[in-house]
Amino acid sequence: MLPLAGLLIRAPWTTLPQRLTEPGVLAALRLSLLTATLATVVCLLLGVPLAWLLARARFPGRRLVRALVTVPLVLPPVVGGVALLLVFGRRGLVGGWLDATFGFSLPFTTTGVVVAEAFVAMPFLVISVEGALRGADPRFEEAAATLGASRWTAFRRVTLPLIGPGVAAGAVLCWARALGEFGATITFAGNFPGRTQTMPLAVYLALEQDLDAAIVLSLVLLVVSVVILAGLRDRWLGTS
Amino acid sequence: MRARRLAAVAVAALLAMTGCSSPAADEPIGGGSSGPAGPGSGAAGPVTVLAAASLTESFTAIGTRFEQVNPSAEVSFSFGGSAGLAQQIIAGAPADVFAAASPTTMKTVTDAGAATGTPVTFARNQLVIAVPKGNPKGLATLAALAGSGIKVALCAEQVPCGTAAGKALSAAGVRLTPVTLEQDVKAALAKVKLGEVDAALVYRTDAKAAAADVDGVEFPESAGAVNDYPIVALEDGPNPAGAAAFLTFIRTPEAQRILTDAGFQQP
């Protein structure tokens, strides 16, 4: 909490309104919120099935897959960014093919930011959802199956509501991590205002020149994320 | 809990080590040299130098020579974007010497009263166009960078190489939209090395240091955007004698030759 107080004490309150209305601030904030949300959606789409596999399915190498899922947590984000470049870059394994076939390249695009954030934030979702799945009793699914529900229906109508709070908590964690993402983003997606410059990147570059501007940007990011997280908590987690 | 206790022990051990090493290292010279610090005199113990990212190769080489001339001294470097280092210094980073890539950045440190004496310019640097080895797109001028389909990385305008790039581009009357504004010159160069961009405006020294992967294309407008590199001793440095010795050493012909070999110009 103390560093937070430091930010509040040192904030340039007198020039705050004028600094807040600078066009760059809003663009970076909008981009941050957009990419973090999209990254969370990507993580949900890929992460929930993956968590289900890890919790319910038995296949050889499951332990290894589980360990690999947590790799982005261990990896310094900058290394993650380089790894993404080596795969999705113009000379990368997949990126080279994408570029040659479709003339499409991920680095330095907003999509690239989403990819970088999803890469770093995914483990938070997978781990929470897997935990929730393990806590949920599989007999409910079996009961649904005996009543004639297909696997998908059972998952959608029985399992998903059971693990709802776990998924929500995972998504919130995932969103928060994506919002604060710096290293992988600046390495993989670069830094260009309005396109790939998210709030953490804007803060870092503002720090190069003007400490006050950096503090204002950090405060904005902080306030917005606390408001959103508090709101989500009441709505999703408080009721269950 | 246990991790925290371990960390505390490690920190304590580290403090004890640094605390012991400087008086021990002082002893051999303590008898003789108290005069003005020159090469091979007065420098002992750890000397911490914060230097601009573009000085990485040359300062590492100079540091090695400095330690050979002053065997009881031990130089450690922290390289990074000049402006970031300046902020660290103003915030009280325990360093002895600061070498910046621009006088503007140096001014933030001197204005904050964190420097002793006046900064001295010890080297100059110019921009070149860094292109992948062999220059596959045949980029020879600044104007060519504005061509369609050419991906360019520049430094952000907040850091010295970005300011210089802005000056050179406006001198050439070229308007271009880079794909990325990197946080320091090494990051811009890395994007060329990785093949993600077709060109970047970097210092001649950086292109030279990466000669294995990158070619540097000289362009006339860079003369209008020469960067001066100032160096200064810091007010709160724990080793003022070491700082003075390093500042003197940087102006010796030997150190200047290392800088020239790296692609710097003499001031």
Side-chain angles (χ1 to χ4, degrees):
Chain A
M1 292 308 273
L2 217 54
L4 203 67
L7 274 181
L8 288 172
I9 291 164
R10 185 64 178 71
W13 296 108
T14 47
T15 57
L16 198 64
Q18 162 201 343
R19 282 175 187 280
L20 279 179
T21 48
E22 278 175 33
V25 177
L26 220 70
L29 183 65
R30 195 183 313 125
L31 189 71
S32 271
L33 294 176
L34 175 75
T35 52
T37 309
L38 285 176
T40 310
V41 171
V42 171
C43 287
L44 278 169
L45 289 178
L46 299 176
V48 173
L50 182 60
W52 186 84
L53 272 182
L54 288 174
R56 290 281 192 268
R58 311 225 157 266
F59 57 93
R62 192 171 59 146
R63 282 186 169 183
L64 187 69
V65 173
R66 188 178 293 136
L68 286 178
V69 164
T70 52
V71 160
L73 284 180
V74 184
L75 217 58
V78 176
V79 179
V82 173
L84 284 171
L85 272 180
L86 294 180
V87 176
F88 294 112
R90 276 204 302 188
R91 290 188 195 161
L93 295 172
V94 181
W97 173 79
L98 278 177
D99 195 32
T101 325
F102 303 105
F104 169 77
S105 79
L106 271 180
F108 314 124
T109 60
T110 308
T111 320
V113 179
V114 175
V115 170
E117 289 179 350
F119 173 77
V120 173
M122 179 90 89
F124 290 90
L125 184 96
V126 175
I127 290 172
S128 329
V129 176
E130 196 199 336
L133 275 168
R134 287 178 171 277
D137 196 332
R139 280 177 301 180
F140 286 114
E141 288 165 41
E142 284 158 18
T146 58
L147 294 173
S150 71
R151 230 172 179 183
W152 169 238
T153 314
F155 178 76
R156 201 163 43 92
R157 302 285 297 273
V158 177
T159 319
L160 219 48
L162 268 179
I163 61 166
V167 176
V172 167
L173 270 180
C174 179
W175 184 82
R177 178 65 186 88
L179 192 69
E181 219 304 304
F182 173 77
T185 310
I186 202 166
T187 314
F188 180 60
N191 166 65
F192 196 83
R195 195 164 61 214
T196 62
Q197 190 182 70
T198 56
M199 284 299 267
L201 272 59
V203 170
Y204 182 75
L205 277 153
L207 202 55
E208 297 276 323
Q209 210 168 38
D210 184 352
L211 184 62
D212 285 349
I215 293 173
V216 169
L217 288 173
S218 313
L219 275 181
V220 170
L221 186 62
L222 216 74
V223 169
V224 169
S225 44
V226 166
V227 165
I228 291 179
L229 289 176
L232 285 183
R233 212 184 146 70
D234 285 348
R235 173 166 293 204
W236 285 359
L237 305 179
T239 52
S240 59
Chain B
M1 253 339 238
R2 208 175 65 184
R4 191 175 300 168
R5 200 175 308 151
L6 265 177
V9 169
V11 168
L14 215 81
L15 284 173
M17 273 159 63
T18 47
C20 287
S21 71
S22 51
D26 269 337
E27 269 167 35
I29 339 172
S33 68
S34 55
S41 76
V47 185
T48 309
V49 179
L50 303 188
S54 43
L55 292 164
T56 308
E57 293 81 13
S58 40
F59 263 39
T60 310
I62 287 171
T64 313
R65 280 301 297 148
F66 181 76
E67 284 174 353
Q68 283 166 2
V69 177
N70 303 279
S72 53
E74 194 186 318
V75 190
S76 55
F77 292 106
S78 171
F79 296 106
S82 297
L85 294 174
Q87 290 297 345
Q88 291 177 12
I89 290 164
I90 294 168
D96 300 298
V97 176
F98 176 45
S102 88
T104 329
T105 316
M106 182 55 88
K107 199 166 171 295
T108 59
V109 171
T110 47
D111 284 353
T116 50
T118 4
V120 184
T121 301
F122 67 97
R124 296 199 153 132
N125 213 347
Q126 276 192 7
L127 292 178
V128 295
I129 305 169
V131 293
K133 197 78 192 159
N135 200 354
K137 300 249 163 141
L139 302 168
T141 60
L142 271 190
L145 300 186
S148 69
I150 304 292
K151 289 189 175 180
V152 182
L154 297 181
C155 297
E157 61 180 29
Q158 289 94 333
V159 291
C161 63
T163 319
K167 266 195 230 165
L169 286 168
S170 65
V174 173
R175 291 172 60 94
L176 62 85
T177 312
V179 292
T180 177
L181 299 167
E182 293 292 321
Q183 77 272 31
D184 68 34
V185 64
K186 296 291 182 194
L189 190 67
K191 294 289 193 290
V192 180
K193 282 192 200 169
L194 284 162
E196 294 306 328
V197 297
D198 304 304
L201 289 187
V202 303
Y203 296 121
R204 179 197 278 154
T205 50
D206 298 295
K208 217 164 171 173
D213 308 303
V214 162
D215 283 340
V217 180
E218 305 266 347
F219 59 97
E221 293 87 356
S222 70
V226 177
N227 254 23
D228 285 346
Y229 281 59
I231 191 167
V232 81
L234 296 173
E235 181 70 36
D236 296 327
N239 187 355
F246 191 83
L247 254 59
T248 314
F249 188 77
I250 211 78
R251 279 171 304 195
T252 58
E254 188 182 7
Q256 286 292 322
R257 201 179 53 246
I258 294 175
L259 288 166
T260 328
D261 286 349
F264 284 103
Q265 290 147 296
Q266 304 242 352

